[in-house]
Amino acid sequence: MSSNKKYWKSVEELNENSSIVETLRNNEFVEEIPTDEFLGDAATLATSSTTRRDFLKYVGFSTAAATLAACEGPVHKSIPYVVQPEEIIPGVADYYATTVADGFDFANILVKTREGRPIKIENNKIAGANFTANARVHASVLSLYDSTRLKTSKIANDKHELAVATWEKANAKIKASVADAKAKGGKVVLLTNTSASPSTDKLIGQFLASNPNAKHVVYDAVSSSEALDAFQMVYGERALADYDFSKANTIVSIGADFLGDWQGGGFDAGYTQGRIPHNGKMSRHFQFEANMTMSGAAADKRVPMTVTGQKLALVKIYNIITGSSVGVSKTDNDDAVTKAAQQLKAAGSKGVLVCGIEDKNAQLLVLAINRVLGSEAFNATNSRQIRKGNNADVKQLLADMKSGAVHTLIMNGVNPVYSLPNGKEFAEALKKVKLSASFTMKEDETASISTVAVAVPHYLESWNDVSIVKGSYAITQPTIRPLFDTVQFQDALLSWTGSTQSYYDYIRTSWVGTKSWNQLVHDGVAVNESISAGAGAGADFNAAAAALAKATPAASGMELILYTKTGLGDGQQANNPWLQEFPDPITRASWDNYVTVSKADAEKLGLENWNVANGGLNGSYATLTVNGVKLEKVPVIIQPGQAKGTAGIALGYGRMASMKEEMQVGVNAYTLYNNFSNVQSVTIAKEGGEHEFACVQLQKTLMGRGDIIKETSLEIFNTKDSKEWNVIPVVSLDHKEVAATTVDLWESFDRTVGHHFNLSIDLNACTGCGACVIACHAENNVPVVGKAEVRRSRDMHWLRIDRYYSSADTFEGDDKTKENISGLVDSLSTLRGMENPSDNPQVAFQPVMCQHCNHAPCETVCPVAATSHSRQGQNHMAYNRCVGTRYCANNCPYKVRRFNWFLYNKNEEFDFHMNDDLGRMVLNPDVNVRSRGVMEKCSMCIQMTQATILTAKKEGRLVKDGEFQTACSNACSSGAMVFGDVNDKESKVAELAEDKRMYHLLEHVGTKPNVFYHVKVRN
């Protein structure tokens, strides 16, 4: 049936005699609408008698149409394949198993590619793939598309400036220098980072065999040399012990942030298995440390101590465990040390001790204690083949260079001019070397002053093999053709040894194992079970303890602890905007490194932090002096939990060469890394001026937020009813207290049909590592906004990890303080006082994203129905509908919605990866890039859930439990996040939803979220 309705766009069209109607039909916008003449003239507006209703009635449509036209995103036409590769199906992702090994980070991963572009890193979950991706590994896919990469080889000209050259010319120059050195008896030195590659080590051995005058020196920017030396003395092999914390009931850590980067990291999965209470039991964790770390935040008992105190504590523990009687002076925390040692001894083989003190004697005691305990968590057989730098060899190399003894220096994967504490000295010594060649991805501080700079491919463009732990073998394979004119170091080694093989052929012919080559490449890893532990010459452990017991406080009275941040690590990826904007798990600050001091030391030194009107965090500057070397204008953060008499600063910042201007942030703390020791005697002096931090969380305590973070002790968890420690909120209904969840303002829909997605987050398992944050960035094309915008609270992270401190020593102490408040005056003063964190607070991490409420407050206030709910439990955003009123953000109790203040794509004001063609190659085509003026937030990765449903439908089967994933749950190696269909009663998420520890955020509001949490239990 046809309609006789008249449709019109403007009231003018109702006048049939209008002279402009026909013109408008042909060209609606004949000329620019002069809104500025009216809206921009205050006098005209003041004298106008037109009512608002009439104004909108007459010009509303035309103005709105012009506005909408201006806000529309650009349309780009795609070009089809001329010859489509057989292995690529447009719209379908391909996955490749590969391995990261950059000398600092090591992981077995899967790489997601779309139409030949790597766009995301995921964990390889096949048996034998034990090293998972951290935040830096997840972000490494963006470093592939770094527009500042070295794109071809370069050779220094007569003016000592690097000029573009072919690889053939560069290779001929290097070969000639090696031959000249051999003829004249000059030294040739290969200076590389830890490769952990059997084939690379074999090739280097062949090169050394054909050049007897050559030497190989392994240099890691962040050293584990003392631990390697100790292990070699006891076990006859230069390696590191591996640990499986899932086998430990009692864990004692002396200055080891094993949930961070300590000895290569990757311990969190095993650790969290023992931290989730099963059958009323969980592991107990003691942490003795100076800096507040992620391991300290997770500990049941954290004791702030200077490193000197830690050394003495380690000797005391050694005495109690082994029955020795090495003389050692008292510490301020003897009771806590003794208690930890006694519980460790009682645990026996179910106990383990780890230590982060870079001292050979300390590391020897660690080996001795774990051997006496017979620790099941301690593994010396399948030792870690990583972080193999040798401090003594590096020092000798520098001495040889200064004396002119080094003829040819060939470097791969290192940047000593930046990362050595005496980098300037190395740069001067480099002038005495006849030829220096740097194989590098960037024209960095070292490459820029070398004779030859050779562009090397990213690991996603390379072939390699890796043995992270003894007995395992993994493959690195290319997932994209090389973007630039690059050459692998291994191919150069083959050339120098006279081989015509490619490195791929070399690896393939070298492979001997139970798997076929194709199966190995498919799986990414293979495991060899037949491994035996080595035995060294032995060690005098009592002598080591006696030497350690002589530890004395720093001469200056202050100790500086150098560490690596979860975000930037050793600084290799400093030009990666995802990592620069990644908030530090502890301080919640991004785009900076800084010196952390305790409140007591800050008051003594006159150092301050304060908040300004816009909510930003500001702080003082300080100058650090170590061994006569000054680091000036270092911003200061007063860190709760920092041991008195200590300060901390992160390595990896302050890079300038071959960096985008926005990424040239922070100060280079490597200049203070004297003698490769992570502990230095420091003097701190206040400087003038104030520093502006980009800190995304200013709340310092739990205070009144007991229904957001819920905690209890293991004893109460085991002995009390869950209603006492997991309190169900109540409201008044008909003058009676009833459970808040039983009262609704809306009628509920039947959600038992089809899929209904829930996400479970266990606070006991979350370590705050942030891998989920970067994975969400990659999957959902989340923009980087830069420091200035983060400071204005305009960060765009769809997923944040809130960090809470207690104002008392425990959150339980906070609760008692709140319960004892009486009266308004007492309430105000007490709550205000509780904003000050304890000197040694307990810490809790809580990931928060859109809660996907079944009764969502955002949906009811959207005037254009841009946000709506699905039967599957996901809260949707129709970006084309959104007009940016921000009503939804105001009405969201969880504050998880983000507003696009600017267009971050192709905008010179935001010169990050979305501003250049190369950087945009990382974008996920399944998720649109949002334009200015719309709201955006977590979609519960609807593109991933729908792809899973369609795949199962295509294969004619039901979706299996575990197949449904979001970017965050897929990235979570600790098991804190579990995603799935709660309507599948056999699923893991359905089981977790019924757990007595389960609760929802702000349950009393009645939003009925599809994200739920588990109460944190401390032992």
Side-chain angles (χ1 to χ4, degrees), residues 377-430:
F378 174 80
N379 187 346
T381 304
N382 297 95
S383 54
R384 292 190 167 204
Q385 305 296 305
I386 60 176
R387 303 279 181 92
K388 288 201 172 185
N390 191 313
N391 295 347
D393 286 354
V394 176
K395 292 174 187 174
Q396 185 59 50
L397 169 62
L398 183 57
D400 291 344
M401 288 169 63
K402 289 166 71 175
S403 68
V406 178
H407 181 285
T408 303
L409 176 64
I410 301 171
M411 298 169 280
N412 178 56
V414 296
N415 184 11
V417 173
Y418 162 71
S419 59
L420 276 175
N422 46 354
K424 291 181 180 178
E425 192 178 342
F426 187 93
E428 286 299 313
L430 204 60

Side-chain angles (χ1 to χ4, degrees), residues 378-618:
F378 174 80
N379 187 346
T381 304
N382 297 95
S383 54
R384 292 190 167 204
Q385 305 296 305
I386 60 176
R387 303 279 181 92
K388 288 201 172 185
N390 191 313
N391 295 347
D393 286 354
V394 176
K395 292 174 187 174
Q396 185 59 50
L397 169 62
L398 183 57
D400 291 344
M401 288 169 63
K402 289 166 71 175
S403 68
V406 178
H407 181 285
T408 303
L409 176 64
I410 301 171
M411 298 169 280
N412 178 56
V414 296
N415 184 11
V417 173
Y418 162 71
S419 59
L420 276 175
N422 46 354
K424 291 181 180 178
E425 192 178 342
F426 187 93
E428 286 299 313
L430 204 60
K431 296 175 182 177
K432 297 183 178 181
V433 176
K434 292 193 175 176
L435 180 136
S436 56
S438 181
F439 285 73
T440 176
M441 278 183 61
K442 310 272 285 186
E443 197 172 322
D444 55 29
E445 289 81 356
T446 304
S448 60
I449 60 171
S450 298
T451 316
V452 180
V454 181
V456 299
H458 190 269
Y459 78 90
L460 292 174
E461 304 168 304
S462 311
W463 282 102
N464 206 355
D465 61 357
V466 182
S467 178
I468 303 176
V469 295
K470 188 190 283 188
S472 77
Y473 185 85
I475 283 291
T476 297
Q477 64 170 314
T479 59
I480 188 173
R481 287 183 179 275
L483 297 172
F484 306 116
D485 183 16
T486 53
V487 177
Q488 266 192 258
F489 177 62
Q490 292 85 349
D491 280 313
L493 282 170
L494 282 164
S495 170
W496 301 335
T497 53
S499 174
T500 57
Q501 266 189 315
S502 69
Y503 188 47
Y504 165 76
D505 290 332
Y506 185 85
I507 296 172
R508 184 167 184 173
T509 54
S510 300
W511 163 243
V512 177
T514 55
K515 291 183 178 180
S516 68
W517 173 255
N518 286 346
Q519 189 66 45
L520 173 67
V521 173
H522 173 272
D523 295 348
V525 294
V527 178
N528 178 10
E529 299 293 343
S530 57
I531 298 295
S532 57
D540 187 342
F541 296 117
N542 280 345
L548 201 64
K550 295 176 183 176
T552 55
S556 66
M558 284 282 286
E559 292 178 349
L560 179 68
I561 291 85
L562 298 153
Y563 67 99
T564 54
K565 266 194 180 185
T566 306
L568 227 53
D570 65 349
Q572 288 186 54
Q573 295 191 75
N575 205 48
N576 190 312
W578 284 350
L579 294 177
Q580 288 285 6
E581 194 148 297
F582 173 74
D584 181 74
I586 300 296
T587 64
R588 306 294 288 136
S590 58
W591 292 99
D592 261 319
N593 66 338
Y594 32 76
V595 59
T596 57
V597 295
S598 68
K599 185 178 180 181
D601 288 328
E603 290 173 351
K604 194 186 303 180
L605 296 165
L607 303 171
E608 298 176 281
N609 282 152
W610 64 93
N611 298 126
V612 292
N614 70 351
L617 178 69
N618 286 13

Side-chain angles (χ1 to χ4, degrees), residues 215-236:
K215 183 181 180 183
H216 180 212
V217 176
V218 182
Y219 164 57
D220 292 330
V222 180
S223 174
S224 295
S225 191
E226 304 295 337
L228 291 163
D229 291 343
F231 193 89
Q232 186 172 22
M233 181 179 285
V234 177
Y235 293 100

Side-chain angles (χ1 to χ4, degrees), residues 758-774:
N758 272 206
L759 176 62
S760 167
I761 301 176
D762 196 325
L763 300 183
N764 262 49
C766 180
T767 63
C769 72
C772 54
V773 176
I774 302 297

Side-chain angles (χ1 to χ4, degrees), residues 588 610-618 692-700 788-794:
R588 306 294 288 136
W610 64 93
N611 298 126
V612 292
N614 70 351
L617 178 69
N618 286 13
E692 297 183 344
F693 290 100
C695 185
V696 297
Q697 178 168 313
L698 296 179
Q699 61 260 45
K700 303 179 182 69
E789 294 302 301
V790 172
R791 184 171 165 79
R792 293 186 179 99
S793 302
R794 293 175 177 173

Side-chain angles (χ1 to χ4, degrees), residues 724-920:
E724 293 191 35
W725 49 264
N726 189 6
V727 179
I728 299 173
V730 294
V731 294
S732 177
L733 180 67
D734 297 332
H735 306 289
K736 294 178 182 178
E737 283 192 347
V738 297
T741 52
T742 63
V743 180
D744 283 331
L745 293 177
W746 298 277
E747 290 185 14
S748 292
F749 295 102
D750 178 12
R751 302 189 184 278
T752 60
V753 179
H755 302 295
H756 188 73
F757 298 121
N758 272 206
L759 176 62
S760 167
I761 301 176
D762 196 325
L763 300 183
N764 262 49
C766 180
T767 63
C769 72
C772 54
V773 176
I774 302 297
C776 177
H777 256 289
E779 176 68 29
N780 295 297
N781 301 334
V782 177
V784 173
V785 301
K787 181 176 180 179
E789 294 302 301
V790 172
R791 184 171 165 79
R792 293 186 179 99
S793 302
R794 293 175 177 173
D795 61 289
M796 296 300 292
H797 295 103
W798 284 10
L799 163 61
R800 69 177 192 263
I801 303 180
D802 289 339
R803 179 267 299 130
Y804 292 102
Y805 292 143
S806 57
S807 58
D809 287 342
T810 64
F811 285 116
E812 186 181 359
D814 281 358
D815 293 336
K816 289 179 180 176
T817 304
K818 285 181 287 185
E819 288 168 6
N820 293 330
I821 292 174
S822 61
L824 178 62
V825 176
D826 184 32
S827 172
L828 292 174
S829 60
T830 302
L831 292 177
R832 196 174 293 121
M834 289 179 70
E835 284 291 353
N836 295 316
S838 162
D839 288 339
N840 182 29
Q842 280 190 345
V843 184
F845 296 112
Q846 184 175 53
V848 181
M849 67 292 288
C850 174
Q851 301 292 293
H852 296 272
C853 311
N854 289 316
H855 292 170
C858 57
E859 295 168 9
T860 57
V861 295
C862 181
V864 291
T867 182
S868 58
H869 211 67
S870 77
R871 179 175 286 278
Q872 294 180 341
Q874 290 153 310
N875 178 261
H876 294 324
M877 277 299 303
Y879 299 123
N880 279 9
R881 279 182 174 270
C882 181
V883 294
T885 63
R886 288 176 283 160
Y887 296 157
C888 56
N890 292 336
N891 218 38
C892 174
Y894 308 105
K895 302 306 169 194
V896 290
R897 305 179 76 89
R898 304 285 176 258
F899 180 68
N900 289 67
W901 289 92
F902 300 101
L903 180 68
Y904 302 109
N905 179 36
K906 295 184 180 179
N907 188 340
E908 291 182 1
E909 294 297 318
F910 301 93
D911 190 17
F912 307 111
H913 66 289
M914 286 191 188
N915 192 42
D916 60 69
D917 290 336
L918 188 62
R920 281 193 295 275

